[in-house]
Amino acid sequence: QKEVEQDPGPLSVPEGAIVSLNCTYSNSAFQYFMWYRQYSRKGPELLMYTYSSGNKEDGRFTAQVDKSSKYISLFIRDSQPSDSATYLCAMDQTGANNLFFGTGTRLTVIP
Amino acid sequence: EAQVTQNPRYLITVTGKKLTVTCSQNMNHEYMSWYRQDPGLGLRQIYYSMNVEVTDKGDVPEGYKVSRKEKRNFPLILESPSPNQTSLYFCASSLQRLAPSLTDTQYFGPGTRLTVL
């Protein structure tokens, strides 16, 4: 079993839809949770960063962490064609930047 | 502009021919690391460095070497490349350890697509 599981998709939604992206994990010691966005032929860029459980909101993006269920989510409101990318979840146990990544979910927002 | 640069961006080589992929960052970051990205497997860490002259293995270090002689540079060396090292490679850097109050984390380079024939 992989440490971090993520549905690879692909996921296609119409412009304006609410998108929900999820990851599950097996290591209950993970404390740091991140979402990265990766455009085609580019390196990942940090989108959201959360420590421990709870919600974090930044504009149209909301990250949720439920440590009791070992489940994290990223919500995108009012999705735009520019949101079309691969979204990667990542987690760290000790804060030493040894990140464990999900395989990524490819999202397409259709105009 | 804060950035991580990698060279070359694309490389096709043959089995056994030593190669080096360079990585440089201009943000004075202590931490640097190398990942490879493969379909269905996601990003996996190869090596990382907490500071100059301090390097350690990640999850998939076999067949790779690194060095950290200067803070800004972290080259990845393949002494004898093999076809199973065909992959997309990313270098990343960050300022410090993760912390609850930290609002920033790893910056990634643009990637190097390596093909070993």
Side-chain angles (χ1 to χ4, degrees):
Chain A
Q1 181 188 9
K2 290 181 183 176
E3 298 244 27
V4 181
E5 299 277 0
Q6 184 175 9
D7 186 337
L11 181 62
S12 291
V13 301
E15 184 175 353
I18 297 174
V19 176
S20 173
L21 303 167
N22 311 294
C23 287
T24 59
Y25 61 94
S26 56
N27 185 351
S28 57
F30 284 140
Q31 299 185 78
Y32 303 88
F33 303 92
M34 286 140 277
W35 285 96
Y36 284 83
R37 178 175 60 195
Q38 185 176 19
Y39 290 115
S40 182
R41 303 185 193 281
K42 301 282 189 181
E45 56 178 334
L46 181 68
L47 201 56
M48 299 289 283
Y49 168 80
T50 309
Y51 171 73
S52 194
S53 284
N55 296 354
K56 188 172 186 178
E57 187 173 323
D58 185 1
R60 295 184 296 111
F61 299 91
T62 299
Q64 289 185 353
V65 175
D66 182 349
K67 290 191 71 178
S68 62
S69 303
K70 301 194 188 75
Y71 188 87
I72 71 169
S73 301
L74 177 70
F75 297 96
I76 307 175
R77 291 183 298 280
D78 187 25
S79 56
Q80 303 295 308
S82 59
D83 295 327
S84 297
T86 296
Y87 289 81
L88 303 159
C89 63
M91 306 176 190
D92 181 279
Q93 177 176 333
T94 65
N97 264 308
N98 296 334
L99 301 182
F100 287 85
F101 281 85
T103 53
T105 300
R106 186 169 180 176
L107 170 68
T108 301
V109 181
I110 303 165
Chain B
E1 180 189 355
Q3 59 181 358
V4 177
T5 57
Q6 295 178 225
N7 282 292
R9 294 289 312 279
Y10 302 91
L11 179 60
I12 301 174
T13 189
V14 295
T15 298
K17 186 176 181 182
K18 180 179 179 180
L19 66 92
T20 298
V21 183
T22 64
C23 173
S24 182
Q25 49 94 4
N26 63 0
M27 295 167 280
N28 202 36
H29 285 166
E30 291 88 11
Y31 182 93
M32 298 185 74
S33 64
W34 276 101
Y35 294 86
R36 59 178 290 174
Q37 186 174 35
D38 302 288
L41 296 176
L43 280 157
R44 293 177 294 167
Q45 191 176 56
I46 302 170
Y47 268 95
Y48 65 96
S49 169
M50 300 292 283
N51 214 324
V52 176
E53 302 293 1
V54 180
T55 63
D56 209 345
K57 296 177 181 178
D59 299 316
V60 288
E62 294 76 22
Y64 304 95
K65 285 176 58 177
V66 294
S67 69
R68 187 91 182 272
K69 293 183 170 54
E70 305 167 276
K71 198 172 189 179
R72 63 181 291 130
N73 296 322
F74 190 43
L76 179 69
I77 303 156
L78 284 72
E79 294 270 4
S80 183
S82 62
N84 64 11
Q85 292 178 299
T86 293
S87 188
L88 180 58
Y89 291 87
F90 289 101
C91 179
S93 75
S94 67
L95 183 60
Q96 60 190 41
R97 289 174 60 89
L98 298 176
S101 60
L102 189 67
T103 58
D104 208 349
T105 181
Q106 293 193 39
Y107 288 85
F108 281 80
T112 295
R113 186 167 292 281
L114 172 65
T115 301
V116 183
L117 303 174

